[in-house]
């Protein structure tokens, strides 16, 4: 194969084993686009996928190319594609539903009833369908969105992270002028803080620890609760005059935080479970307390129908993500990038990979 038929990619060859290799460049089918990946951010789910702990499910088999938080350019379009053209700047998302099951027809393609069925048209990029830790990848047009011109590719790669936060906030809403608690100031929690402010929150309390809690303070939180120094529920109650918060956004998935969220919420308050908990996390919820205080708890998964709004929030700087991108690496240095993300070296928040070299337009 000549150079135009190959590409460089991070290839997982077995559980816990990966390397940067030269592999065939994919060719778009009749209803697909080929994208040149310009920036791809490491997600919190990626270390588990690379470790092999989810082997057989994510990924379903080896070899496999992961990665799902990306932005780039359309490099080629397949037959029947009419909404995109070569050169379009686009941002991607991981979930692409079949488009015809009941959930997809209702706009809930993140809950596609044909999950895992390639024949049905379902795709889950970077998890069961090849992803973006590569110079090129093919996508269903439903999984990409045009980027505003003023966004860099690195910012565009934050579309998924900001979209996840946006979806979680939209499920419960934000009371204008109300109080919002964010549990877990990781990348999604910090984005949730930005979204809550853009949606009209009057006061934002962030619960966490260490460098990321400090980052929340620098990025605009009104009050911080350090779980290493304070009892979280008591601290939130004290900060709200004993009433509790209007909205609690759980963004950590840690053990014990669901019950904490319940007791942090005011009577009639709302809780959105945005953080992804491990399978072994189980909690006994205060059933009577929830019912008697009419506290709503809702799960949140991924970022359906959120890309256009997320990109618009970034473009307008109502949800500026530039300060969350702390580290940048070339594709060939992926192992170092992953280690930096996992170990939070240099207070890493979001680590971005450039598969095709650094951006031609300087960060702005």
């Amino acid at each position: 194969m000549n150079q135009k038929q190959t590409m460089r990619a991070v290839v997982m060859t077995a559980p816990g084993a990966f390397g940067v290799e030269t592999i065939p460049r994919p060719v778009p089918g009749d209803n697909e686009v080929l994208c040149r990946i310009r920036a791809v951010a490491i997600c919190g789910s990626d270390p588990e996928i690379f470790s092999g702990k989810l082997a057989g499910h994510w990924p379903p088999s080896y070899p496999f190319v992961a990665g799902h938080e990306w932005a780039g350019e359309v490099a080629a379009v397949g037959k029947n594609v009419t909404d995109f053209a070569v050169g379009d700047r686009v941002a991607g998302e991981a979930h692409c539903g079949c488009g015809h099951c009941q959930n997809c027809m209702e706009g809930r393609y993140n809950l596609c009833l044909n999950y895992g069925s390639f024949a049905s048209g379902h795709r889950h990029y970077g998890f069961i369908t090849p992803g973006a830790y590569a110079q090129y990848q093919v996508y269903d047009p439903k999984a990409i969105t045009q980027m505003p011109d003023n966004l860099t590719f690195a910012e565009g790669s934050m579309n998924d992270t900001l979209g996840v936060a946006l979806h979680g906030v939209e499920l419960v809403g934000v009371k204008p002028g109300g109080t919002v608690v964010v549990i877990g100031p990781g990348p999604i929690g910090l984005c949730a803080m930005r979204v809550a402010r853009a949606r009209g929150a009057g006061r934002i309390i962030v619960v966490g620890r260490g460098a990321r809690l400090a980052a929340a303070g620098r990025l605009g939180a009104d009050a911080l609760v350090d779980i290493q120094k304070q009892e979280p529920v008591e601290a939130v109650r004290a900060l709200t005059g004993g009433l509790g918060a209007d909205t609690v956004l759980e963004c950590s998935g840690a053990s014990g935080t669901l019950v904490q969220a319940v007791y942090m919420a005011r009577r009639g308050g709302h809780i959105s479970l945005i953080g992804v908990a491990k399978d072994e996390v189980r909690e006994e919820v205060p059933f009577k307390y929830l019912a008697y205080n009419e506290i709503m708890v809702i799960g949140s998964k991924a970022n359906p129908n959120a890309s256009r709004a997320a990109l618009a929030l970034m473009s307008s700087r109502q949800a500026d993500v530039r300060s969350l991108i702390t580290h940048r690496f070339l594709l060939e240095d992926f192992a170092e990038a992953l280690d930096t993300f996992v170990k939070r070296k240099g207070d890493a928040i979001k680590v971005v990979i450039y598969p095709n070299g650094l951006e031609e337009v300087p960060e702005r």
Side-chain angles (χ1 to χ4, degrees), residues 137-303:
Q137 195 53 269
V138 291
Y139 291 92
D140 186 304
K142 296 194 299 292
I144 61 175
T145 303
Q146 294 268 8
M147 278 175 50
D149 290 339
N150 69 323
L151 293 181
T152 64
F153 291 113
E155 290 172 87
S157 73
M158 293 287 291
N159 172 57
D160 189 283
T161 305
L162 186 65
V164 167
L166 177 60
H167 178 57
V169 170
E170 288 184 334
L171 286 171
V172 292
V174 170
K175 181 180 179 181
T179 297
V180 174
V181 170
V182 176
I183 302 174
I188 290 176
L190 293 172
C191 282
M193 184 180 80
R194 292 280 174 85
V195 171
R197 184 73 77 195
R199 289 288 189 263
R203 192 180 189 204
I204 297 174
I205 301 168
V206 178
V207 180
R209 63 181 177 180
R212 290 186 169 182
L213 183 64
R218 293 194 302 273
L219 296 173
D222 298 297
L224 305 177
V225 174
D226 189 335
I227 61 174
Q228 294 179 315
K229 300 177 181 179
Q230 303 165 275
E231 200 292 313
V233 175
E234 291 178 0
V236 168
R237 285 283 175 175
L239 287 166
T240 57
L243 295 177
D246 298 286
T247 303
V248 182
L249 306 173
E250 202 298 313
C251 299
S252 73
S255 178
T257 56
L258 170 54
V259 172
Q260 289 176 0
V262 170
Y263 288 119
M264 288 176 183
R266 66 168 175 82
R267 292 182 178 182
H270 295 169
I271 300 169
S272 183
L273 304 180
I274 305 173
V276 179
K278 296 184 181 300
D279 289 340
E280 59 269 22
V281 174
R282 297 285 189 274
E283 295 199 34
E284 293 185 6
V285 297
F287 198 137
K288 183 177 180 179
Y289 185 90
L290 276 170
Y292 272 36
N293 290 289
E294 293 191 359
I295 296 172
M296 185 182 83
V297 181
I298 189 166
S300 179
K301 179 182 179 181
N303 54 324

Side-chain angles (χ1 to χ4, degrees), residues 308-324:
R308 285 183 176 82
L311 291 166
L313 285 170
M314 284 189 249
S315 177
S316 67
R317 306 306 179 197
Q318 292 181 74
D320 195 339
V321 299
R322 291 174 293 183
S323 56
L324 304 184

